Amino acid sequence: FFFGIYHLTTMTSIPLNAALAAETKANPPKPVEVIRTEYAPLKYVVSKVSLDFKLYTGKTLVESILTVTANNDLQNGESEGGEDGLVLDGEEATVKLLVLTVDGCEATLVEDKDYVLKPGKLIIKGDTLRQGASKNENVMIVRTTVEIVPEDNTQLSGLYKSGDMYCTQCEAEGFRRITYYPDRPDVMATFEQVRVEANAKDFPVLLSNGNLVKEGMCEGGTNGDKRKFTIWSDPFPKPSYLFALVAGDLGCLEDSFTTMSGRNVALRFYSEHNNVSKLSYAVESLKRAMKWDEDTFGLEYDLDLFNVVAVESFNMGAMENKSLNVFNTSCVLADPKTSSDANYFRVEGIVAHEYFHNWTGNRVTCRDWFQLTLKEGLTVFRDQQFSGQINNCAAVQRISNVLTVRGMQFKEDAGPMSHPVRPDNYIAMDNFYTATVYRKGAEVIRMYDTILGTDGFRKGMDLYFKRHDGSAVTCDDFLAAMADANDTDLSQFARWYYTSGTPTVTYVTSFDEEKGLFVVGLSQSSRSDEPLFIPVALGLLDKESGEEVLSTTILELKEMNQTFTFPVKKDVVPSILRNFSAPVKMVPASGVVNESDMAFLASNDTDGFNRWDSAQQLYAAAILKVMDGKEYAGTLDLVLSTFGATLNDPSISDDAIRAYALILPGESTLAEAVSVVDPPAIRNARKFVKKAIAKKFKTELTAAYEKLTACVQADTVFKVDGESTGRRRLRNVYLGYLCALDETAEEQIEAAKIATAQFESATGMTDKLAAFNCLVSMSGKGESAREAAIQKFYDDANGDPLVIDKWFACLASADLPDLLDRVVKLTTHPDFTLKVPNRCRAVILSFTSSAAFHDDNGKGYEFLGDMLVKIDKVNSRVSARTTASSFLSWKRYNEKRASMMKAQLERLKAMPKISNDLLEIVMKGLK
């Protein structure tokens, strides 16, 4: 593996792009909006790549050999920007261009004559390329050497240092921070050789994509700087965003998996040495995912090696780089002492998600970033199906998924960041890794499955892979495969891809006793000028007996208004939008929910999701009436009756289902049900209803809690199966209700006693964290227990970063009157840092989700504004995607709050050298 074989070129002491870097630093170019409809392919593309990384402290050299060919897919001579040349992306602020040559040309290329440098671009002119083209098939070889400094890369995009290891994150546009390259998903090249070299003592593990070809020690070097190398080769073409590199002193947990064709695949999970014991669950999750994908879709892993690396400083949850997945530690490390059941489920789901990307994202990728939902929405659907089926908890999984859609995605749909699942424009692509692209995108895929059936969906997937394996395609290509495989017309369904906002479906029902007919009328409204194709799942239950008289039937709502008629012998109660069959708001035409019907369905519905959802609607009705000062006694009586029936229903065998059915709607869900959001009022009304339930059923709740406590304590072996996790979930729901009784000194003492007992006796993080969450919000006679628990939780963490994150998050979201002062103090804690996204989010994002953030004095908004100014200088992805979004819905608040939130957006807009990521969010927020 040798670079510069045709030219012996001395590296320039002054980077070729130094003048451009100085100019763009002094005068940053204006942000450029990218438009979906203006997509154009490149005239020249890269077909093969060889890379050589030499890692030194404070400097990394990257040499590249690009095999360039004319784009055979180019039509009508059109290319991006009309450029007759090879267009390479590179950030001159981070990438110093030291060497640029084209084989067959003069050793020294001349700027403006042979190549042009523009902000973010290096364009090698067509004449220069053609001059260097080989006589054999018009192939051109371009060579570059660049210098980068990963240690200074706090953006965590490209190659950077996380603790003592080097790692990469290249999606969406991080590869241009490593070297000059056509950094776009439609350029799929074979990375034939990637050589990685580093100090052998500090970085004994050197990883990249594909299969390991060779490793060894470099010649020369002193005792203090003996260097080693590895060479990797990935036979599958991929875009640059899937490139990965890791170098570090890492421990490894190794296992294997035998594919359905009999091939043995080595599975290697890497982490810091002290965390290797926490990798076992992730390894088992991967093996389950590999088997499930074979059984469900016939998809087999295609290489002999699958590597996973845990990284503490990581902007995302994980990244599906071909054969070298990089994971945020919070999404791959798990053990009973440090991880809750929710953490375990998250690890399983994300490990599966990233593995499933091997086919839905890697083997078939997206043509441009506007098609992001093509890989993300599809893969989220696949991981949701996996989690529900592998754990035999489809209803619980569905409830969890819909809570996210309603709490996050519906909010996004209602705000200034509203966009279709396939966006039309962007300034910073990183801002569009959104709930809409991922979660609503998954719901769009689920509707295919609902409309076509499981077998029809599988036929569509098979055709999709047959047509497009190894290609970069569009959402339209996926829809065409689904339609063609099933010989059906899905042209109307395509409107989901370009319609933003949450559609509303209104319903009206009637029963004609004389004719024995039950009539359902449905009407739809959305931002689409033409009607959407909305699958509405419906079931009917006998109004007297509760028996199901019509099993789940899919009503295809394709017109603005449609009527559906069903022959029945007696009056029935409709169960509408079963299993949340479409991402819509379903509301009665009268505007008022039939509370009696909701209570009936909450006790009788055979659809697990709708049984839960009916109770949620009833609970929400009571909470909102309390908040609005309306008469609530009758609704509260129904709530108490429904809660009591669920609490004592012997037919519910799944503790997780019972737990979900007893939990009140969250504050974010309730906020979506009102026109003017008042977070403190929502929290107070919710607390009022929760206390009313706790008072009414204190005896039953206490008995149930003690019974489950005995069961939990009898479990000597920790398990993450459905029965064990359901039991813990239900017990902690009971604990939450019992601790809600805190108005008198006696109640405060009793609540502190029961929470402390669980906190101190907990053998796993799930029960410990649930008790801690209760304790951190205690005051009065519970204050001493609160402070003792805060200190003990921190001490018990013993410096474990993921446990410390939990400690910060709980404290930053406590229900206390002086929360802001406490959060400000947390930001001065020695363990707090803005450089680690997990830690930053644990404090800042947790606080912004609290009612205290919206205190009338506006100090919470000022605090976030202050933090955003600091965060943006360190990591603009974090400032934009996870924190600034807290201001975006300012128009939904009262005039006072809205004006204060808007003022912070104006302040950020005026900030000198604001990042493009944050600027785009701010500008959309101010529209």
Side-chain angles (χ1 to χ4, degrees), residues 637-692:
D637 285 343
L638 282 173
V639 165
L640 295 174
S641 176
T642 299
F643 186 94
T646 304
L647 180 64
N648 299 301
D649 188 346
S651 70
I652 301 177
S653 59
D654 188 333
D655 285 341
I657 287 289
R658 194 189 304 272
Y660 269 114
L662 295 176
I663 298 172
L664 297 179
E667 293 171 24
S668 61
T669 300
L670 292 166
E672 291 307 302
V674 299
S675 55
V676 178
V677 182
D678 186 342
I682 290 174
R683 172 163 290 189
N684 291 335
R686 187 178 184 276
K687 287 169 65 175
F688 177 88
V689 172
K690 189 172 184 178
K691 288 178 190 290

Side-chain angles (χ1 to χ4, degrees), residues 138 157 405 466 835:
N138 205 31
S157 173
V405 172
K466 182 179 180 180
K835 293 183 178 181

Side-chain angles (χ1 to χ4, degrees), residues 51-56 60-63 148 150 156-162 164-171 175 178-179 191 193-198 203 205-210 228-232 238 240-248 250 270 307-311 313-314 319-327:
L51 297 169
D52 188 351
F53 288 81
K54 294 182 175 67
L55 304 174
Y56 299 95
T60 291
L61 295 176
V62 185
E63 299 176 66
I148 56 177
L156 312 186
S157 173
L159 177 64
Y160 64 94
K161 197 116 182 262
S162 173
D164 293 327
M165 79 170 80
Y166 290 96
C167 60
T168 57
Q169 171 55 34
C170 293
E171 187 175 356
F175 197 77
I178 295 175
T179 189
F191 283 62
Q193 289 196 90
V194 175
R195 182 180 182 276
V196 186
E197 176 191 315
F203 306 103
V205 175
L206 302 173
L207 306 173
S208 193
N209 309 87
K228 71 170 291 185
F229 72 91
T230 57
I231 296 176
W232 298 81
K238 64 174 178 283
S240 55
Y241 82 85
L242 290 173
F243 172 80
L245 179 152
V246 172
L250 304 172
Y270 295 87
N307 288 324
V308 174
V309 180
V311 176
S313 296
F314 200 68
M319 181 60 209
E320 69 269 18
N321 316 298
K322 183 74 178 185
S323 77
L324 177 51
N325 286 186
V326 178
F327 274 68

Side-chain angles (χ1 to χ4, degrees), residues 254-507:
E254 186 165 355
D255 206 323
S256 64
F257 179 82
T258 302
T259 69
M260 60 186 182
S261 67
R263 191 176 71 258
N264 189 65
V265 179
L267 311 178
R268 294 173 186 159
F269 280 63
Y270 295 87
S271 72
E272 294 174 323
H273 291 278
N274 62 313
N275 285 326
V276 171
S277 62
K278 301 176 185 177
L279 291 168
S280 299
Y281 189 74
V283 173
E284 293 305 313
S285 297
L286 174 60
K287 291 162 70 175
R288 288 193 292 271
M290 296 175 82
K291 182 66 167 63
W292 183 88
D293 216 17
E294 290 181 346
D295 293 344
T296 308
F297 291 105
L299 299 175
E300 181 179 5
Y301 186 62
D302 48 16
L303 288 169
D304 299 327
L305 177 63
F306 192 96
N307 288 324
V308 174
V309 180
V311 176
E312 182 179 358
S313 296
F314 200 68
N315 283 332
M316 300 183 176
M319 181 60 209
E320 69 269 18
N321 316 298
K322 183 74 178 185
S323 77
L324 177 51
N325 286 186
V326 178
F327 274 68
N328 188 312
T329 50
S330 67
C331 300
V332 70
L333 303 180
D335 73 355
K337 292 288 186 182
T338 62
S339 307
S340 67
D341 290 341
N343 295 144
Y344 274 95
F345 291 142
R346 188 173 187 229
V347 166
E348 180 179 67
I350 294 180
V351 166
H353 180 96
E354 303 309 328
Y355 171 73
F356 295 153
H357 266 313
N358 186 58
W359 280 91
T360 51
N362 297 3
R363 289 283 290 261
V364 184
T365 194
C366 42
R367 184 195 70 180
D368 53 72
W369 288 120
F370 296 105
Q371 318 296 328
L372 180 61
T373 196
L374 175 69
K375 73 182 185 76
E376 294 301 346
L378 176 55
T379 306
V380 168
F381 169 73
R382 276 156 47 73
D383 81 55
Q384 290 175 351
Q385 293 294 89
F386 163 78
S387 294
Q389 293 172 18
I390 206 75
N391 296 306
N392 195 27
C393 60
V396 171
Q397 180 68 31
R398 192 68 185 125
I399 290 168
S400 175
N401 298 339
V402 175
L403 282 170
T404 302
V405 172
R406 288 176 171 169
M408 293 177 58
Q409 198 281 316
F410 279 13
K411 179 180 179 181
E412 190 168 88
D413 263 346
M417 275 294 289
S418 178
H419 57 274
V421 293
R422 181 177 59 189
D424 293 318
N425 53 74
Y426 65 81
I427 292 176
M429 182 56 216
D430 287 317
N431 287 331
F432 283 88
Y433 286 75
T434 61
T436 297
V437 166
Y438 279 67
R439 298 293 181 161
K440 187 174 181 178
E443 296 301 317
V444 170
I445 299 298
R446 186 178 296 275
M447 286 191 287
Y448 281 110
D449 187 72
T450 299
I451 293 166
L452 302 174
T454 300
D455 292 341
F457 186 79
R458 170 65 190 271
K459 286 165 58 180
M461 290 285 282
D462 288 347
L463 182 59
Y464 175 63
F465 293 124
K466 182 179 180 180
R467 285 179 172 177
H468 303 298
D469 186 13
S471 301
V473 298
T474 68
C475 297
D476 297 327
D477 294 316
F478 183 82
L479 183 141
M482 286 288 159
D484 294 347
N486 291 277
D487 193 23
T488 189
D489 183 2
L490 291 174
S491 56
Q492 183 179 1
F493 188 81
R495 294 169 190 162
W496 280 101
Y497 285 106
Y498 53 79
T499 301
S500 64
T502 304
T504 297
V505 175
T506 58
Y507 66 91

Side-chain angles (χ1 to χ4, degrees), residues 81-270:
E83 295 287 355
D84 177 22
L86 175 65
V87 181
L88 304 177
D89 301 294
E91 290 193 10
E92 60 275 357
T94 57
V95 176
K96 295 179 180 180
L97 180 61
L98 305 179
V99 175
L100 172 63
T101 64
V102 176
D103 285 8
C105 297
E106 293 296 326
T108 302
L109 300 182
V110 179
E111 187 174 359
D112 294 331
K113 173 179 175 290
D114 297 308
Y115 68 92
V116 177
L117 283 166
K118 298 179 180 180
K121 302 285 184 182
L122 165 61
I123 303 168
I124 302 175
K125 293 187 176 184
D127 288 342
T128 304
L129 289 172
R130 288 185 286 273
Q131 180 185 349
S134 67
K135 296 180 181 179
N136 182 18
E137 299 182 359
N138 205 31
V139 173
M140 296 143 278
I141 304 296
V142 174
R143 302 169 187 268
T144 63
T145 301
V146 304
E147 178 185 316
I148 56 177
V149 185
E151 292 83 353
D152 293 344
N153 185 359
T154 62
Q155 295 290 330
L156 312 186
S157 173
L159 177 64
Y160 64 94
K161 197 116 182 262
S162 173
D164 293 327
M165 79 170 80
Y166 290 96
C167 60
T168 57
Q169 171 55 34
C170 293
E171 187 175 356
E173 297 175 338
F175 197 77
R176 66 191 62 191
R177 296 170 61 85
I178 295 175
T179 189
Y180 279 95
Y181 190 84
D183 190 17
R184 41 189 281 168
D186 62 345
V187 177
M188 298 184 71
T190 302
F191 283 62
E192 287 190 315
Q193 289 196 90
V194 175
R195 182 180 182 276
V196 186
E197 176 191 315
N199 179 280
K201 178 177 179 295
D202 295 335
F203 306 103
V205 175
L206 302 173
L207 306 173
S208 193
N209 309 87
N211 294 315
L212 179 62
V213 176
K214 186 178 180 181
E215 65 179 326
M217 300 299 294
C218 300
E219 295 182 4
T222 64
N223 290 334
D225 189 30
K226 288 186 176 180
R227 299 178 66 79
K228 71 170 291 185
F229 72 91
T230 57
I231 296 176
W232 298 81
S233 180
D234 185 358
F236 292 95
K238 64 174 178 283
S240 55
Y241 82 85
L242 290 173
F243 172 80
L245 179 152
V246 172
D249 183 3
L250 304 172
C252 178
L253 180 61
E254 186 165 355
D255 206 323
S256 64
F257 179 82
T258 302
T259 69
M260 60 186 182
S261 67
R263 191 176 71 258
N264 189 65
V265 179
L267 311 178
R268 294 173 186 159
F269 280 63
Y270 295 87

